[in-house]
Each structure stands twice: as C-alpha cells, then as structure tokens.
Amino acid sequence: MAQEPSIETDRAPAVGELTPPDRTLMGPGPSDVHPRVRRAMSTPLVGHLDPSFVEIMDDVQELLRYTFRTDNEWTIPVSGTGSAAMEAAIGNVVEPGDTMLVPTNGYFGGRMASMARRAGGEVVEVDAPWGEPLDFADVADALAAHDPDVFGFVHAETSTGVRQPDVPELTAAAHDHDALVIADTVTSIGGVELRVDEWDIDVAYAGPQKCLSCPPGASPLTLSDAAMEKVLAREEDPRSWYLDLSLLEGYWGEERAYHHTAPITNVYAIREALRLVAEEGIEERWARHERLAGALKAGVEGMGLEMNAPDEFWLPSLNAVRVPDGVDDGEVCAELLERYDLEIASGLGDLDGDIFRIGCMGYSARPKNVIYVVTALGDVLESLGATVDPGAGVTATRRALSE
C-alpha cells in the first residue's frame, strides 16, 4: 500500500532568488559572455518553425561558414554542448566496422576513441606524449599500417595547451589513404587560425563557450560534401536518433521540416556571438587572441613560471602553465576563486597536478583581464610560498600590452 506523502515532502521548497557569483572566467571554458549575447538571450521566444526563426537559422549558417572559413553547405549548430557536436560528427561518419585513427596526446583524443568505439568502429592510435603535437612521420606510418576509414585529430588540445601544426600535410596524407578527416576545433574556432576548406578538413566540430564567448547549447559543426555523402549512404542508422545527421538534414537543410525543438535562446546567442566575430573580422580576431595571450605568457614567464608547451606549439587560447614546486594546484585555484572571484583550472589526465590551464578566449581576452589574472596568480602563489616575482610578472605583461 502506497504511503501518504508526509508534510515535509509535500511542502514547496523554499528556494531563493538566483544569485550566482560574478566571476572573471579565465579557465578552459566557459569564457565571459559578451553583454550583447546576454541581451540577445533575453529577447522574446518564437517557435522553432516560425518564418522569422528560419531566417535566423539562415543567418547562423552563413556566419558559421565565415567563422569556419568554409563554403560547406552542411554547416549547422548542433542542439547541445560541444560534446554533442563531437558525437554527431563521429557517430555519423564512423560506421560499424570502420577503422578510425585517433591521437593519444591529450584528453580529447581519448574521448574521440571512446565515441568511435560506441559507434561500432575499430580504434587504432597514433602516439605522442601529452604536451606535444602529433608528428607527421608517425601519422604517415600509422596511416600506412592501418589504412583507416577516418582520421581524427585535435587542432587545439584543451588539456595540454598544444596547437597542432602542419594540418594541411596531415589531411593530405589521410586523403592519400582515402580516409575522411575529423578535426576537434573546440578551443580554436574564433580564436586561433582555422581554415577548414583551405586545409581540406572533411568534418570540424566545435563548442560555442570558448573563443566565441557564447553559453553552451548550440555547437558548431561542418561537413564537406564527401563526408555528408558517406553519412547519407550508410547502410545502418546511427545509434543516436537525436544526432542522426540524415534526419537533421531535413531541419537544417532546404526543407526546414520538424525534427526536434531547437534551443531557441541558444540559437539567438550564437547568432549574436558570430555577428561579433564578423564585425571584428576573423583574421583580426585571431591576431587579438595572439597578442593578448602573448602578454599573458610574458607575464607568467616574467614572474618565474614555465609554459608547458614549446613556443612553436603554443596555443594562445589555452595557456598551460607549469605548477611551481611545493605548491598544490587545487589550493591555488580555490584561493583565486575565494580572493578574486577568478577562475582558472588544474590539469587533466596525465597532466593532473602538473599544470594550470589559463584561458584567453573571446570576450575574456581583454587587457584588463590579462593584467588581472597575472596580478592575482602572482599574489596567491607568493602567499602560498612559491618562488615567484609578482611585480616582474605584471611589469612584463604591461610592457607586452603596450607593444
């Protein structure tokens, strides 16, 4: 016999007004959201098939093509976080029995492998240490040894602060083996040079919450004609109905037929975020990130810290800084939150406890934020007994910004 609800469980919860702290977000994402994007999210809802929303969908697709540097017809925001775009890419392109070559040099190469296995693919790996990019010769050897159907790589590895160079050479080698190329561009789109068409990338997925400074919820994805042809020619449906691109094609393609209720407010947000990219100019935006992250790099090195990635592979949007001896990284991150309402992050996986991950992305990539994070980090490290020179760090940052 069912129990009668008690007075306690029947009482409405006394939940107060939402008052999240006002943080400065300089971690690996999310980044600070531009005020124009927040205003766009507060505008009235319309239906997901409303003629006005269809026009908004067209705008978003056009702006995404500009930002990805592609003419791909099949360029959309996936309804979900960056991991949804990642799973849409891998889960549709990798068919049961396909072989996918994935990297081992970071946390998100491992996630590629996991998703490929769930899609029924056979995973083979090309090895590189965490904190280093893939070596072209190693990739070429792996392609020759395994002749994969799909090759995946991480353009900007959020877990290590490493940018993958020589992308056109990698894609050319993969195409010589008739492999489609999937690129993780979550931490590069809108902040680091990325040229999908010129570099001959077949599929690129991304997240909106990093260099685009947009709340997560509508995540960029682009597929070449060759990649979409493979998706539409599948003999077996993808394992996810929600992320089945052959069904989403009906909604984001010319037909604009119902598939699911799109996250209207998030689409508003990414439209405004991408509008900001277009207004600034994509190449100017890349240059801004490099300049401001360069000042951040000068500051941390000026106070006596070391970067994790060599200069030639440095990733401006995600700066991996070595934790000094005798300091607990978690304590530093907690103190920055407590004293300064400032977010940075610790390392992941093989680099857990070894690095700080400091973002310089989108709207967060501003001079005042760079000065703030260098000042606050120096203060906290010095107070915890680290051998650093906070004043020298701030001076180096200011000098770099003035140049």
Side-chain angles (χ1 to χ4, degrees):
M1 184 176 177
Q3 289 185 327
E4 291 293 323
S6 69
I7 294 175
E8 289 298 319
T9 58
D10 195 42
R11 182 180 296 132
V15 177
E17 183 180 354
L18 180 66
T19 56
D22 187 9
R23 310 286 199 200
T24 299
L25 300 178
M26 297 294 285
S31 61
D32 289 340
V33 175
H34 196 285
R36 276 175 47 182
V37 175
R38 293 203 304 269
R39 286 198 297 270
M41 295 183 75
S42 68
T43 54
L45 287 183
V46 295
H48 57 286
L49 295 174
D50 188 292
S52 67
F53 190 67
V54 170
E55 292 180 6
I56 291 169
M57 294 167 73
D58 292 339
D59 292 341
V60 170
Q61 290 181 283
E62 182 181 1
L63 289 162
L64 274 177
R65 292 184 186 104
Y66 171 76
T67 306
F68 269 129
R69 312 309 295 133
T70 185
D71 291 325
N72 286 342
E73 177 183 358
W74 235 91
T75 303
I76 68 169
V78 175
S79 298
T81 65
S83 293
M86 182 181 194
E87 190 148 25
I90 295 171
N92 281 271
V93 173
V94 176
E95 301 179 64
D98 279 357
T99 298
M100 182 173 180
L101 180 65
V102 300
T104 64
N105 62 333
Y107 183 88
F108 292 97
R111 185 171 292 184
M112 276 189 166
S114 178
M115 289 187 180
R117 290 190 184 100
R118 287 170 178 258
E122 177 184 343
V123 171
V124 294
E125 297 175 338
V126 55
D127 293 325
W130 279 50
E132 296 182 16
L134 297 178
D135 182 83
F136 174 77
D138 292 339
V139 173
D141 289 345
L143 289 166
H146 301 287
D147 200 30
D149 301 283
V150 181
F151 166 54
F153 74 94
V154 181
H155 180 228
E157 178 52 76
T158 316
S159 64
T160 65
V162 169
R163 175 184 50 81
Q164 179 63 48
D166 306 322
V167 172
E169 287 82 359
L170 296 181
T171 60
H175 291 146
D176 285 345
H177 290 268
D178 296 323
L180 291 174
V181 177
I182 299 179
D184 181 320
T185 66
V186 169
T187 309
S188 52
I189 189 172
V192 177
E193 182 180 12
L194 171 64
R195 303 179 186 274
V196 166
D197 284 1
E198 187 176 325
W199 295 352
D200 214 10
I201 296 169
D202 294 293
V203 183
Y205 59 83
Q209 75 276 14
K210 297 182 186 278
C211 297
L212 297 181
S213 282
C214 180
S219 299
L221 174 67
T222 187
L223 292 89
S224 67
D225 288 345
M228 199 60 190
E229 285 171 9
K230 187 177 192 297
V231 170
L232 296 176
R234 289 178 61 113
E235 294 183 2
E236 183 178 317
D237 290 339
R239 297 184 179 184
S240 171
W241 178 91
Y242 183 67
L243 298 174
D244 184 341
L245 295 178
S246 69
L247 300 179
L248 286 172
E249 193 274 338
Y251 183 51
W252 282 100
E254 292 183 4
E255 189 178 356
R256 299 298 197 213
Y258 170 71
H259 174 263
H260 69 287
T261 302
I264 309 299
T265 299
N266 290 98
V267 176
Y268 291 172
I270 196 168
R271 179 185 183 274
E272 191 63 20
L274 292 168
R275 221 162 64 89
L276 287 162
V277 173
E279 288 175 9
E280 183 174 5
I282 190 64
E283 300 209 9
E284 290 78 4
R285 194 176 181 94
W286 296 337
R288 171 169 63 87
H289 280 79
E290 185 169 5
R291 178 175 64 86
L292 290 168
L296 170 60
K297 180 173 177 289
V300 296
E301 291 178 334
M303 77 171 72
L305 303 178
E306 297 180 6
M307 301 295 290
N308 186 59
D311 286 349
E312 60 266 36
F313 311 131
W314 166 61
L315 175 58
S317 52
L318 195 287
N319 297 268
V321 179
R322 302 294 301 179
V323 176
D325 292 339
V327 171
D328 179 84
D329 59 312
E331 186 177 5
V332 173
C333 294
E335 286 296 310
L336 287 170
L337 276 180
E338 178 67 24
R339 298 188 205 175
Y340 289 99
D341 274 321
L342 173 65
E343 179 182 276
I344 68 169
S346 300
L348 290 173
D350 288 2
L351 294 177
D352 182 20
D354 293 336
I355 62 171
F356 300 117
R357 293 183 298 146
I358 306 175
C360 191
M361 305 177 186
Y363 189 57
S364 289
R366 291 178 285 161
K368 73 171 189 176
N369 283 4
V370 172
I371 287 284
Y372 190 54
V373 73
V374 171
T375 303
L377 181 61
D379 174 57
V380 168
L381 286 173
E382 186 177 50
S383 72
L384 295 177
T387 304
V388 292
D389 187 340
V394 172
T395 297
T397 303
R398 287 177 173 159
R399 184 179 299 117
L401 289 171
S402 67
E403 292 171 355

